[in-house]
């Protein structure tokens, strides 16, 4: 008897699968969605592969087509998910197929759950096929766009969540509401909900209070991202007895008598001589590093040209022509070839930041430094001091160190700390939370990008600097003042520890929604069972 039941169930499941792939409408719809996905991904690939187009134009077009793709694919997935749910859960009940199945020995519970399994299987297969195709396309995009490529992949967790919700809600509505009303609701939803990602930012800009929420969100997110990048460096320096006297060096732009020092002109006579008193370690580091580069470029008589510096290059905005790891390569080479372990360890503190510095500064639109002004090397400021250096590589190393210290100083000012300690921002954070959770269109816009996997601040900064979407902050580093701090330097960034503060946790939200879906389906089983009995 048990074997007979298993045979019937197995045959029944196979029959349900066949009803879909032998149905012309569903297979045509299935293929149509895949074709649309391929077309848009091909366009996105073409955009990122275009030569002789500035990165700003390329980035703008990329996000525009990514938004259009999301709107169209989301609409098609809503319609497909509803159609297959309606076909299995409503039509079959309406024409008494459920009753026929029960008469042949199929249990009601098995009949309903197998249908849900088939529905979810086809939807999952569709999403996986699109994911595989997109992944194949992404292999042909330069790794320099890695950070943008990830935004395409993160969409797929959203697509799965969206279709799961549609199936669950369809299951609920088809049991309680008139069929034609449901068709109207699905039509409106499939059109207006995806379109809200485009329309809501335009509407929000007309309300000053909403604009204030977005501005506050941007301020907290950008400051948190800078702190996230610089906090590790500052604490590593502060906790080392040899390195922490480098905090006696003031790289404050308002205090320097010569701005070329902020550009890495460490061999400037007065500055270099004073280093022996302010920071003997840094003095020895510069002295040893200068000798290293002199020996390295002993046979190099090429004149230093500031136009070859990464920010001075006329093609800086053409990503393909640039080395986004310009500073990372310089620091790595220095570490490989220097013998002094203290200096090697000192440079190692800056290594991780050097790898992300240019990438984030370019993709998040000058998040660290203004590439068109303060990032440039100015030959007029340096004058004859240029001749003291052996190569642009040496100057670039000093430039990066000077700018990093200057950034740590900026992160130490009162305006910055007041933002991340929430001294001035607590009410704004509460407004952001309320607006995010109580506005369904805001929630929808937030989840369309999927999960950022511990890179929330990076991606929110990139998206907001590239689009009009106005994505609200998901999490940030909240600063907490340390007790018994004895820091006499101007680098107050080390006076704080931090806690990760979640405003919107995508992973938890995702799990909660899936649990609600499961509970909804389970409870509605009894409703459909009652209808069948009646």
């Amino acid at each position: 008897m048990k074997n007979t039941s298993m045979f019937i169930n197995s045959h029944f499941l196979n029959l349900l699968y066949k009803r879909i792939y032998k149905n012309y409408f569903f297979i045509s719809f299935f293929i149509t969605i895949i074709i649309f996905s391929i077309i848009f991904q091909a366009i996105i690939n073409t955009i990122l592969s275009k030569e002789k187009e500035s990165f700003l134009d390329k980035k703008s077009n990329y996000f525009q087509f990514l938004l259009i793709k999301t709107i169209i694919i989301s609409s098609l997935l809503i319609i497909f998910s509803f159609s297959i749910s309606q076909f299995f859960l409503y039509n079959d009940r309406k024409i008494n197929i459920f009753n026929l199945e029960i008469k042949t020995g199929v249990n009601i519970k098995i009949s309903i759950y197998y249908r849900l399994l088939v529905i979810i299987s086809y939807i999952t297969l569709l999403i996986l096929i699109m994911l595989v195709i997109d992944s194949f396309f992404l292999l042909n995009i330069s790794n320099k766009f890695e950070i943008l490529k990830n935004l395409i992949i993160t969409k797929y967790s959203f697509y799965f969540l969206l279709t799961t919700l549609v199936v669950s809600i369809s299951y609920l509505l088809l049991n309680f509401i008139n069929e034609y009303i449901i068709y109207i609701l699905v039509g409106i939803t499939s059109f207006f909900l995806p379109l809200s990602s485009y329309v809501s930012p335009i509407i929000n800009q007309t309300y000053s209070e909403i604009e204030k929420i977005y501005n506050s969100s941007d301020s907290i997110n950008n400051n948190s991202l800078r702190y996230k990048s610089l906090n590790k460096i500052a604490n590593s320096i502060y906790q080392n007895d040899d390195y922490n006297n480098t905090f006696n060096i003031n790289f404050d732009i308002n205090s320097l008598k010569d701005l070329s020092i902020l550009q890495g002109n460490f061999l400037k006579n007065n500055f270099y001589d004073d280093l022996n008193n302010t920071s003997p370690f840094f003095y020895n580091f510069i002295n040893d590093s200068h000798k290293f580069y002199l020996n390295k470029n002993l046979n190099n008589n090429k004149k230093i040209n500031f136009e070859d510096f990464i920010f001075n290059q006329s093609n800086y905005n053409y990503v393909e022509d640039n080395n986004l790891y310009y500073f990372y390569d310089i620091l790595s080479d220095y570490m490989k070839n220097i013998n002094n372990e203290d200096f090697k360890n000192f440079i190692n503190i800056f290594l991780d930041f050097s790898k992300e510095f240019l990438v984030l500064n370019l993709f998040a639109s000058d998040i660290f430094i203004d590439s068109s002004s303060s990032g440039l090397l100015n030959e007029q400021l340096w004058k004859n001091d240029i001749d003291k250096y052996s190569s642009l590589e040496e100057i670039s190393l000093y430039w990066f160190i000077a700018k990093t210290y200057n950034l740590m100083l900026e992160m130490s000012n009162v305006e910055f700390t007041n933002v991340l300690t929430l001294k001035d921002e607590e009410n704004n954070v509460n407004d952001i939370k309320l607006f995010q959770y109580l506005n369904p269109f805001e929630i929808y816009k937030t989840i369309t990008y999927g999960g950022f996997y511990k890179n929330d601040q990076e991606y929110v900064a990139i998206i907001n600097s590239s689009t009009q979407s106005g994505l609200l902050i998901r999490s940030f580093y909240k600063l907490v003042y340390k007790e018994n701090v004895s820091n006499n330097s101007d680098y107050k960034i080390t006076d704080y520890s931090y806690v990760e503060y979640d405003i919107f946790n995508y992973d938890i939200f995702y799990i909660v929604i899936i649990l609600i879906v499961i509970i909804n389906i389970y409870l509605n089983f009894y409703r459909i069972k009652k209808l069948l009995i009646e």
Side-chain angles (χ1 to χ4, degrees):
M1 184 71 181
K2 187 177 179 181
N3 289 337
T4 304
S5 178
M6 287 179 63
F7 173 78
I8 292 172
N9 290 341
S10 175
H11 182 72
F12 173 65
L13 182 62
N14 187 42
L15 183 65
L16 289 176
Y17 278 114
K18 282 183 179 179
R19 288 182 64 194
I20 296 297
Y21 72 72
K22 288 188 175 182
N23 185 301
Y24 178 78
F25 170 77
F26 287 120
I27 292 303
S28 300
F29 206 163
F30 191 96
I31 294 170
T32 300
I33 295 173
I34 292 172
I35 290 171
F36 267 105
S37 180
I38 291 171
I39 291 170
F40 276 103
Q41 194 53 49
I43 292 172
I44 289 171
N45 267 49
T46 303
I47 289 169
L48 294 183
S49 303
K50 273 186 180 179
E51 296 182 1
K52 303 305 174 188
E53 182 178 54
S54 77
F55 175 66
L56 295 176
D57 292 335
K58 192 173 291 191
K59 190 169 65 163
S60 174
N61 292 332
Y62 165 84
F63 277 102
Q64 183 179 350
F65 274 95
L66 185 61
L67 175 61
I68 294 171
K69 177 185 176 181
T70 305
I71 290 171
I72 291 176
I73 296 299
S74 297
S75 296
L76 292 174
L77 285 174
I78 288 172
I79 297 170
F80 180 81
S81 302
F82 171 76
S83 298
I84 198 171
S85 301
Q86 191 257 6
F87 176 75
F88 267 141
L89 299 173
Y90 181 78
N91 281 9
D92 284 2
R93 176 165 61 84
K94 191 175 180 181
I95 59 177
N96 295 320
I97 288 181
F98 277 106
N99 293 331
L100 291 173
E101 290 167 357
I102 292 167
K103 289 176 182 178
T104 59
V106 178
N107 184 280
I108 295 178
K109 185 182 289 187
I110 293 294
S111 179
I112 295 170
Y113 287 169
Y114 274 17
R115 278 174 165 79
L116 290 170
L117 175 62
V118 172
I119 292 169
I120 292 169
S121 296
Y122 274 106
I123 291 171
T124 303
L125 178 63
L126 173 59
I127 291 171
L128 285 175
I129 289 173
M130 290 193 294
L131 175 60
V132 170
I133 291 170
D134 277 4
S135 299
F136 175 77
F137 271 103
L138 293 178
L139 291 174
N140 298 313
I141 295 176
S142 168
N143 286 333
K144 291 184 177 182
F145 294 101
E146 189 74 35
I147 203 161
L148 292 185
K149 287 160 67 174
N150 291 337
L151 283 173
I152 295 170
I153 299 300
T154 58
K155 290 279 183 182
Y156 282 92
S157 62
F158 157 68
Y159 289 145
F160 183 76
L161 183 64
L162 177 66
T163 51
T164 306
L165 273 171
V166 171
V167 171
S168 172
I169 293 169
S170 299
Y171 188 33
L172 172 67
L173 296 179
L174 288 168
N175 284 331
F176 290 96
I177 300 177
N178 182 278
E179 180 184 3
Y180 298 104
I181 295 175
I182 294 171
Y183 293 153
I184 294 170
L185 289 174
V186 170
I188 293 171
T189 302
S190 61
F191 179 76
F192 284 106
L193 188 60
L195 200 62
S196 68
S197 298
Y198 179 78
V199 175
S200 63
I202 299 172
I203 297 172
N204 289 341
Q205 287 173 5
T206 62
Y207 296 96
S208 59
E209 286 301 313
I210 295 176
E211 191 175 2
K212 180 184 174 184
I213 289 172
Y214 281 116
N215 290 339
S216 178
S217 173
D218 272 350
S219 173
I220 295 170
N221 185 74
N222 292 346
N223 279 325
S224 181
L225 176 54
R226 294 185 191 105
Y227 177 81
K228 180 180 178 181
S229 299
L230 294 162
N231 168 61
K232 185 179 176 182
I233 299 173
N235 280 297
S236 295
I237 293 171
Y238 180 73
Q239 291 163 10
N240 187 293
D241 292 336
D242 291 326
Y243 308 155
N244 63 19
N245 62 27
T246 61
F247 281 157
N248 295 330
I249 306 167
N250 193 339
F251 288 100
D252 180 9
I253 192 169
N254 296 315
S255 303
L256 292 172
K257 295 177 181 177
D258 191 327
L259 292 181
S260 69
I261 294 166
L262 195 57
Q263 297 182 1
N265 187 9
F266 293 160
L267 298 181
K268 182 77 177 176
N269 287 344
N270 293 338
F271 180 80
Y272 181 63
D273 294 338
D274 288 344
L275 277 179
N276 205 13
N277 296 319
T278 54
S279 177
F281 168 81
F282 200 72
Y283 175 84
N284 292 329
F285 164 73
I286 297 300
N287 194 38
D288 198 76
S289 300
H290 183 55
K291 289 177 183 177
F292 162 72
Y293 281 110
L294 284 174
N295 291 329
K296 182 179 180 180
N297 297 281
L298 197 61
N299 300 316
N300 182 9
N301 296 318
K302 184 181 177 183
K303 183 177 173 63
I304 294 174
N305 183 4
F306 279 1
E307 293 304 312
D308 293 332
F309 183 64
I310 184 73
F311 286 112
N312 290 60
Q313 292 173 13
S314 58
N315 61 349
Y316 170 71
N317 277 322
Y318 293 84
V319 179
E320 299 86 348
D321 300 334
N322 269 305
N323 177 12
L324 295 180
Y325 299 132
Y326 176 87
F327 295 109
Y328 176 78
D329 290 344
I330 289 172
L331 269 65
S332 296
D333 179 73
Y334 179 88
M335 288 178 62
K336 287 177 186 174
N337 294 289
I338 202 79
N339 293 322
N340 189 300
E341 287 298 318
D342 276 344
F343 299 152
K344 187 181 292 188
N345 292 334
F346 178 65
I347 287 298
N348 187 53
I349 293 172
F350 299 86
L351 196 64
D352 288 343
F353 181 50
S354 70
K355 195 169 188 177
E356 69 176 15
F357 176 74
L358 281 174
V359 175
L360 286 177
N361 205 67
L362 188 65
F363 285 87
S365 298
D366 295 348
I367 191 79
F368 295 119
I369 193 166
D370 188 342
S371 58
S372 63
S373 57
S374 55
L376 303 175
L377 283 175
N378 189 327
E379 196 168 338
Q380 292 179 338
L381 290 176
W382 286 63
K383 299 176 183 175
N384 294 331
D385 283 340
I386 299 174
D387 298 332
K388 295 178 181 179
Y389 298 86
S390 62
S391 66
L392 182 62
E393 186 180 1
E394 180 183 6
I395 292 173
S396 297
L397 174 69
Y398 301 158
W399 181 99
F400 185 74
I401 293 171
K403 291 299 180 184
T404 303
Y405 272 88
N406 179 245
L407 284 169
M408 287 189 286
L409 264 179
E410 289 179 1
M411 295 295 98
S412 301
N413 66 42
V414 175
E415 289 79 7
F416 164 76
T417 54
N418 281 353
V419 169
L420 291 189
T421 54
L422 301 190
K423 186 175 181 180
D424 298 333
E425 295 286 342
E426 191 162 3
N427 289 335
N428 290 332
V429 168
N430 291 332
D431 289 342
I432 293 169
K433 278 184 180 179
L434 284 173
F435 186 72
Q436 180 125 307
Y437 282 102
L438 298 181
N439 186 335
F441 295 113
E442 198 63 40
I443 283 276
Y444 181 82
K445 185 173 64 177
T446 299
I447 65 172
T448 55
Y449 286 98
F452 295 144
Y453 312 110
K454 299 300 180 183
N455 292 309
D456 290 4
Q457 290 133 54
E458 287 86 344
Y459 281 115
V460 168
I462 291 168
I463 291 164
N464 286 351
S465 68
S466 312
T467 72
Q468 297 298 316
S469 291
L471 199 62
L472 289 175
I473 188 171
R474 292 184 176 189
S475 67
F476 66 94
Y477 280 16
K478 179 184 176 183
L479 300 190
V480 179
Y481 190 76
K482 296 175 183 175
E483 295 182 4
N484 303 319
V485 176
S486 57
N487 179 10
N488 297 320
S489 76
D490 293 327
Y491 294 84
K492 302 301 181 184
I493 187 173
T494 59
D495 292 357
Y496 298 87
S497 59
Y498 69 89
V499 291
E500 290 193 42
Y501 189 103
D502 281 335
I503 288 181
F504 179 87
N505 189 308
Y506 178 83
D507 297 329
I508 292 175
F509 178 83
Y510 199 98
I511 293 168
V512 168
I513 293 297
I514 294 296
L515 287 174
I516 291 172
V517 165
I518 293 169
I519 293 168
N520 174 58
I521 288 173
Y522 185 77
L523 292 176
N524 272 275
F525 163 74
Y526 294 101
R527 168 67 177 172
I528 199 169
K529 185 178 177 181
K530 183 181 177 183
L531 289 171
L532 288 173
I533 292 170
E534 290 173 355

